[in-house]
Amino acid sequence: MTALTQGRAPVLTKFVAIAVCACIGLAIVTLAGHAQTSALHDAAHDTRHAAGFPCH
């Protein structure tokens, strides 16, 4: 590797990581926006119980 390509590798790696995180975040927001309210409530409710947090 030359000095020029060694300097670009970390930048490209960071860009790819940011792009992947942005895609995952967008997918979560999109899925949550299209889900029924009761489905989101039930999922959060079950997650709280599985983690050991009381919710009511």
Side-chain angles (χ1 to χ4, degrees), residues 12-43:
L12 182 61
T13 303
K14 288 179 184 179
F15 177 76
V16 170
I18 290 170
V20 169
C21 289
C23 288
I24 291 171
L26 183 61
I28 290 171
V29 169
T30 301
L31 291 172
H34 285 41
Q36 298 295 326
T37 304
S38 61
L40 291 175
H41 172 79
D42 292 343

